[in-house]
Amino acid sequence: MTDYIQEYRTYLTEERHVSANTLSSYLRDMNQFWAWLTENDTIDLSKVKKNVIVQYLQYMESVGKSPATITRSTASIKSFYQFMVGAGYMKANPAKAITAVKVERKYPEILTNREVELFLEQPKCVDEKGYRDHAMLELLYATGIRVSELIGLNIGDVNLAVGMIRCRKKDKERVIPLYRGAVKALRDYIQDIRPRLIADPEEEALFVNMNGERMSRQGFWKIIKFYQEKAEIDKDITPHMLRHSFAVHLLENGADLHSIQEMLGHADISSTQIYAQVVKQELRSVYQKAHPRA
């Protein structure tokens, strides 16, 4: 029997030139669909009808697959059968009229202002590690940068005199202001602590580990989890949660979306607009709890 999935792989790589992630996703979805078909005595992908695909999607829902996973699988199956039609194996795409499951959009979880204060208070400035960790956390919340951007910062990217950092991502660069507390934390670290930590005087990394080398992503994640436990905050704090909190708190205090977009480095304003929805949800929640007639 023709190996349709293998031919589909060739089509995706040689004609569509899809990325490695897209290729992996499409093939994984199709292999899972094929496994289900064989378990249900269907051994020819070219004979599949619309009702069979619907049954498979219903099966996915019944075993607890998320709406996002089902939606992605629907798209993968549609793509596969579009290839089958184009290759002449089928006359019509049986998945064409199938509507994807509506994905319920999840809003990003954020920390409250009090939780941020509590979290940032945890590193104690009594030794090198405390000063360094305090500066890292203050900078992360002050700027909303990604963890990869944080550990990628060089000493030359910081301008304490004007209270700014320069953040680069690929060929793009943005400048982000710092509040006074973050400037002080950085000044203390850069002037007094970093010179004692670096192993090589030529080291460019702003933040280094206790061996004097550039901080790793894994190392910083451990720092986040350590101070989460110390603060006894129940939420699963991640660097991205601080990024979300930065954006929402700015918006709550009057910042406009375009300014937040620029500071976060979002290419599309639609990525930033989710924070406006978070603020609306927060207001609605406060209203429902506080209004006497709600």
Side-chain angles (χ1 to χ4, degrees), residues 15-229:
E15 294 188 37
R16 290 274 305 278
H17 303 292
V18 300
S19 69
N21 285 340
T22 300
L23 178 67
S24 173
S25 177
Y26 278 7
L27 294 179
R28 181 176 62 250
D29 290 339
M30 284 310 303
N31 281 318
Q32 289 173 354
F33 180 45
W34 169 240
W36 180 84
L37 287 173
T38 54
E39 286 177 9
N40 288 273
D41 302 321
T42 300
I43 58 171
D44 191 341
L45 283 163
S46 67
K47 304 295 184 186
V48 168
K49 305 294 184 186
K50 176 182 175 181
N51 67 308
V52 174
I53 299 172
V54 170
Q55 288 171 19
Y56 173 65
L57 298 176
Q58 290 172 341
Y59 158 77
M60 292 184 74
E61 186 175 7
S62 71
V63 296
K65 298 295 183 183
S66 70
T69 298
I70 298 172
T71 298
R72 192 199 64 224
S73 293
T74 304
S76 297
I77 293 169
K78 282 185 176 183
S79 171
F80 172 77
Y81 280 111
Q82 193 57 42
F83 153 74
M84 292 288 280
V85 171
Y89 292 124
M90 300 179 72
K91 292 182 178 179
N93 183 343
K96 185 176 182 180
I98 294 176
T99 304
V101 177
K102 185 176 181 182
V103 179
E104 182 180 345
R105 187 164 197 182
K106 291 185 179 179
Y107 295 116
E109 188 175 14
I110 64 167
L111 296 171
T112 64
N113 286 295
R114 178 62 192 130
E115 286 169 336
V116 168
E117 289 176 12
L118 182 61
F119 185 63
L120 296 183
E121 286 170 359
Q122 295 313 306
K124 305 305 179 187
C125 295
V126 295
D127 56 16
E128 284 89 349
K129 186 179 186 303
Y131 274 99
R132 182 204 63 189
D133 295 352
H134 177 60
M136 291 181 80
L137 297 187
E138 284 282 2
L139 180 58
L140 195 67
Y141 178 64
T143 60
I145 58 177
R146 304 170 180 89
V147 63
S148 58
E149 294 171 331
L150 177 77
I151 62 177
L153 286 172
N154 290 330
I155 190 72
D157 294 323
V158 181
N159 188 329
L160 293 176
V162 296
M164 297 275 193
I165 65 162
R166 181 177 59 205
C167 188
R168 298 187 188 91
K169 187 184 178 187
K170 296 181 180 178
D171 59 342
K172 294 183 179 179
E173 179 180 298
R174 64 190 193 278
V175 175
I176 310 170
L178 303 170
Y179 53 70
R180 279 185 292 181
V183 171
K184 182 182 185 306
L186 276 171
R187 181 176 288 115
D188 291 344
Y189 166 71
I190 291 171
Q191 292 181 353
D192 302 327
I193 305 302
R194 185 178 176 276
R196 292 187 236 160
L197 291 179
I198 54 175
D200 180 354
E202 301 298 316
E203 176 63 65
E204 293 187 342
L206 174 60
F207 293 112
V208 296
N209 58 30
M210 300 311 290
N211 293 322
E213 299 168 343
R214 187 180 293 274
M215 175 71 64
S216 68
R217 179 187 289 267
Q218 292 82 0
F220 184 66
W221 270 84
K222 289 178 183 177
I223 289 170
I224 290 278
K225 294 307 172 187
F226 174 73
Y227 290 117
Q228 175 188 329
E229 289 183 13

Side-chain angles (χ1 to χ4, degrees), residues 266-280:
H266 284 162
D268 192 324
I269 189 68
S270 63
S271 299
T272 318
Q273 285 170 337
I274 184 69
Y275 299 116
Q277 297 302 317
V278 174
V279 172
K280 287 180 182 177

